[in-house]
Structures are given as structure tokens and as C-alpha cells.
Amino acid sequence: MINNDLLLNDTNGELIHHQTIANKIDHFQVIIIHDHQPNFFDYNYLINFPSENVRKKVNANRIFPRVKNETFIVRQQIYEDNIDLFFKLRVNARREVLKKATEFMIAKFYSAYEGHLAPLLENKPTLKWEIINKLYDKYHKMLNAHVGLNDEKSWTVFSTWYRTYVMNHSVNEMITKHGYDTLNALDREQLNILFLKKLKHSFTSNDSFLNSFTAAVNIYLDKMISEILIAFESEKNSMEQINELLSVQKRISGHQLVESPVKKNNLRVMSNVVYQFITEAISNQQFVCEPDQWPLATIQSPTLSGRLLLLPDEADRTVSQMHQLHEAAHNLSEVEVDVLDSLCHMYLAQSPQANKRVEIQIDDLLAIRGLKTKLGGTGRRGGYEKEQRRLVLKALSILRSLWIQLDSVLLYDQGKPITKKMEGRAFTFCTEDGSPCELTVGKSPERIYVAIGNVFDHLLKGSVRQVKLLPKQAIEFNPYQRKWEKKLIRYISWRWRTQARKASYLQPHKISTLLEKIGVQAESQAPSRIRDRLEKALDILEEEGVISFWQYNQWDEDSMSKKGWLRVWLETTIIIAPPDEIISYYQPIERKNAVNTPKNLSLTKGEEHTGKEIGQEFKAKRKKIGYTLQQVSDELKISTSYLSNIERGSSKPSQRIYNRMQEWMD
């Protein structure tokens, strides 16, 4: 393939010279080793779509990005001597092209449906990520099924095309630089050495070449996937695709997985003080294991006094069973709380009334937590892993042993305080015929039947019934890497429910209380790490849309430089605001004399003016000179999280920190 500019000349002299030199170039192969790139349209594309950069790429049909990859020019003989290795590298490069084409199709979809998707996905990065994955699977299959992209002959034609393209480009530049006579006078080996050197330089250092090469590749690829793009365009006016992406896949068995509230980013679980006590006792491993005693957790508060035991049915109260429950109490994790919340949500979704038993499939308890089934050998779904099932069954066996003994619990019946004494099981599990069910891998049934005990039965009746919205991230976050976030979600969602009657959502939370609910001892050797980790957890919740915003309430950052700052910080409070959808959901239960909380929570005008202006200006300056948050926070002698909050406008800098930031920018 000859350079198109040569074909426009009045004479064919240059064309003949070009062809003469090109004929002396030996066969070669271009091997490109692609670095693992992040999403072609970067993370901002996913969260803040549509960025101007993305819009330009989509509108210009730029399927393949212009990136400098590791490129090797290999002579044909060397290539054939190492055919297995080089062919594998070529296949990897081919997969990279398909990956970029798939990402391009996703961008096309978002462009077509921007008007519909923008309001649906606002502040819902998790939902957006789910849709991205579904679209990726869909278009990846479409591209792989396309003959032109899954056929060795087609790829051979493509590789021949781009080899010819780069050869003609390099030969043309060599003639321009050295002259035809000089090149023609070289022997074949000398000419090939010069050519390979020139080609290597083009791929590594010649921006003009890389731009033109990338543009040409995009034109070629656009033609290769034109049939798919045409089919895509014909679907633009259909809303079925969006509905399909947002809907829950039906189970083949006909069993309906109950997750309507999950689609709205929240689950519904019990919100009474007893349920909150149980979740905290399990999450923070509050059970005490004395010799010859069943594991025991206690509580003594103005609203609740009593005990929670791990106590099996009377027929199973053996020494070996006690040892097993002791071990289980020492190894409790967030998985048990995840299963508890999932179980509670599914029970409430299927049984609007108390004292009913509901059918629950074991796989539902995995699916509702966002876990994916593994692939079978034929590429079809092969089910959940054995270890995933084992952890769920282990959690169920622990939940089955929960025994509640309450000396007193303060309840409000139609607004009047009453104190009750209660005792009984939290849950009971059985098979369809009512017999006890096995909860071990290989022996457990596909479905179990769940009923609540008499304690929860009473707490779900009449005016004492309390149910809260639990953001689904509480059970979807990794139970080991995101423990802080999960525990915070459970606690603050409970507090939002208790604040709902007075609409006092901006009531501050004391930091020492938050750490207590997380199960962290603040009097440690690394208090700065604890502060950073708490702020990081709150930042993650804000990024995920679990909370609207968070900010310190009357905290002076200068206190960090003083002796005994930890004590002051622990007594400081933080405002954690719920999303507007939470406020709207609880609005019907607000009292008429509720405090005047804004319906759309945002930072105050003064804080926006002081914090956001300096924050935005500072962030722009920092990024312009290429400094990281860590580098700058070290220079300013403040925490990275605090600086991040200032840049986002969610924290107000003290006058001293404000002056430091101004000096740094100057």
C-alpha cells in the first residue's frame, strides 16, 4: 500500500523511486506488546460522564488510543524461528484491539442514551459499574462472534496492511532525509539495517508518525466493525436495552429472587434496638467464652438490658458443640452480619406480617451480596464456589444458635413508653416439611424455610415495628477489606432511622462513638492512622453515594500540632448527611414539629465560599505542577484526608492552614 500523497504527483518519478527502495526491504513483523491500560475512557468517564475528552473520542470514532507501547521490529526469519512465542504475542495484541473496540461500543451506547441514563445514574457509581460490566459482556460477545474479527485470515490481512503502511511511511521519510541516490547505492543489508533503525525510532519517538499511524488504524478498525455499528445505530430509539440492563435476571427455576429494594440502592431490615445489638455483638466479636459456658454477649443501656447467647437446641447441647461455638465466636466476621442483614431483608420482603415462614434459596443469599457465579467449562454459568457456600452455611448455623434473653427493653407503643421482658430464638430454620435442616456443604437443601422467633415477632407487630433502609453497599463491600465502611453504614443508617421522626439528620456524631461502633480502640500507638482510616472510610461512602457529605463540626486542625490532640479529636463531632432519597423515604414518619432540616442537604454558603474556592484553586495549582496529595500534605503538615476534604469543599480550613495554603500557591 503506497503513501497516498505519492499518487497525487504529476509525474510518477517519485513513485518509481519509492517502489524501488521498498522492493529491497526484507519481510519483517511488527510485534507490539501492550501495557495494561486503564479503561480507555478513564475513571472520570465512568463517574462523571460525559467528559469533553470522551465526547471528542466518541465523535471522532477513535477506537484505538494513541499510546506508546513496547514495539519490536523482527525480521521474518527470526519470527519464523520463534513462531510460537511471537504468535502468542500477536494474539495478545489482537485481544487488546478487541478490548478497545468493546470499550468504544460502550461509549457509543452511553452517548446514544445520555439523556436517559444521566438522571438514573447520578450519584450511583456502583450501578454505573454494573451496567458497564453488562455492556462489556454484551459487546465483547458481539465482536467475538463477528466473522471479520474472529477469523485468522482477516487478522492476517490486517497485519499485512499495517506492515505495508509503516514500511511506506518509513521509506518515504528515508528518501526525504537521505535522498534516493544515497539509499539506492547501499547494499541490501545496509539498507535494511537503516530501515529497521528508522522504523524503531518512529514507534518510540516520532509523534507525527504515531498520530498518523493511530488515525489510519482507527479508520481500518472502523471499517472492520461497521456492520456491528450499523446494527447498533438501528437500536438507538429503543428503550428495551436500558430496561434489560436495569432489570434483574430471572432464575431458570422460576424462583423469584426478592431484591426490589436492592435495585433502589437499599435493603429493608429491622431497626429496633435488639437487632442493632445483635449486629454489633457479632460484628465486633463481643461474645465472652468462659469454660463450661455458652458464648455470651451482654448489654446494659437505658433502652436495653440483657444477653445474647450462642445456644443450640437442647438436644444438641453437648461438650463438643460448646467447643465448636466457642471457636465460632472467636472467628466471627462481617460475613455473618452480611448473611443476617440479607436474611432479614428477604424475610421482610416476602412476609409483610410477622409469624410467617418464608422460602429462601441458599444461592439468593450469595446473589443479594453481589457475588457472581463462576463459569462452567463450556462458558456457561457453573454456580457459586464451594467456599462461598460454606461461609454462608456456617453463618446460618451461627444465626440459628442465637438465643435472646432480655431483662428489659424500652418500646414505644403509640407514643407511650413501655418496658418488656423477652426471651427466645432469633430465627428458626427448617425444610419444607418442617423438619430440621442440615447446614453443611453437600448436605444442605437448595432452599430453607425461615421463621422469626417470638422476640422479633413482637417487635414487628403494630406500632412498635421499626424498619430502616440499609444501603446495599453494607453487604456488597468486601467483608475483610472494607470492614470500617460496612460497620459505619450499619450504624449511621440506624441513626438516620432514629432521627427520622424529628428530621434531625444533621445531628453530629461523636468520633469516639463512631470508633466504638467500628470496634476500634482509639488509645493505640498509631492514632494518626486511625484518623486517616476513618476519614478514608467516610470519603469512600461519599464517593459511593451512601452519604451525601460529611464534615467536621467545629474542629480546629491546628489542634493536631498540640500535645494531647487525640483526646480533643475523640470528643469532636462529625456531621454525616444522608442522601436525599433516604430523607424522602422517611418523610411520612416525621413529626409535625420536626426540626427544620433542609430537604436537599448541602454545605452552608459560608463554608462553600471559604472552603470550595480555596480548595478548587489549590487543587488546580497542585495538579498543574504534578504534585500528589501526599507530597503536598507533608509540606503543609496536615493529613492527606483533610487536604482532600478541603479540595472538595467539604472541610473548612482554619485561618492558619488557609495561610499556609496561600503561601504554598504563591
Side-chain angles (χ1 to χ4, degrees), residues 603-666:
L603 295 176
T604 63
K605 185 71 174 178
E607 286 169 340
E608 286 182 339
H609 179 76
T610 306
K612 285 192 174 179
E613 287 192 4
I614 182 66
Q616 292 172 356
E617 183 181 353
F618 190 87
K619 183 177 182 180
K621 177 75 173 181
R622 176 179 63 80
K623 288 199 167 186
K624 183 177 180 180
I625 62 178
Y627 273 47
T628 65
L629 276 170
Q630 184 66 56
Q631 290 173 315
V632 180
S633 62
D634 288 344
E635 292 185 20
L636 296 177
K637 297 181 180 180
I638 61 177
S639 72
T640 303
S641 299
Y642 181 51
L643 179 57
S644 174
N645 288 338
I646 294 174
E647 287 191 346
R648 292 185 289 107
S650 59
S651 287
K652 176 182 176 181
S654 65
Q655 189 61 47
R656 184 178 176 186
I657 300 301
Y658 181 91
N659 293 337
R660 284 189 205 166
M661 295 173 71
Q662 288 286 8
E663 291 175 4
W664 189 89
M665 287 192 293
D666 294 338

Side-chain angles (χ1 to χ4, degrees), residues 93-144:
R94 181 187 308 174
R95 289 172 180 165
E96 187 70 16
V97 172
L98 285 173
K99 176 184 174 184
K100 298 305 176 187
T102 303
E103 291 168 344
F104 177 77
M105 297 293 288
I106 296 171
K108 278 282 189 178
F109 179 92
Y110 265 88
S111 295
Y113 291 111
E114 180 180 352
H116 299 293
L117 287 171
L120 289 174
L121 302 179
E122 186 176 6
N123 296 323
K124 296 181 178 69
T126 303
L127 179 59
K128 180 177 282 188
W129 185 251
E130 290 175 359
I131 290 180
I132 288 289
N133 281 314
K134 288 183 179 180
L135 283 172
Y136 192 95
D137 289 341
K138 175 181 179 179
Y139 291 127
H140 186 67
K141 290 176 182 177
M142 288 174 64
L143 290 169
N144 276 289

Side-chain angles (χ1 to χ4, degrees), residues 467-482:
V467 176
K468 73 174 182 180
L469 289 182
L470 178 69
K472 66 178 183 179
Q473 289 89 342
I475 63 172
E476 289 185 350
F477 277 162
N478 187 291
Y480 307 105
Q481 299 172 357
R482 289 284 178 259

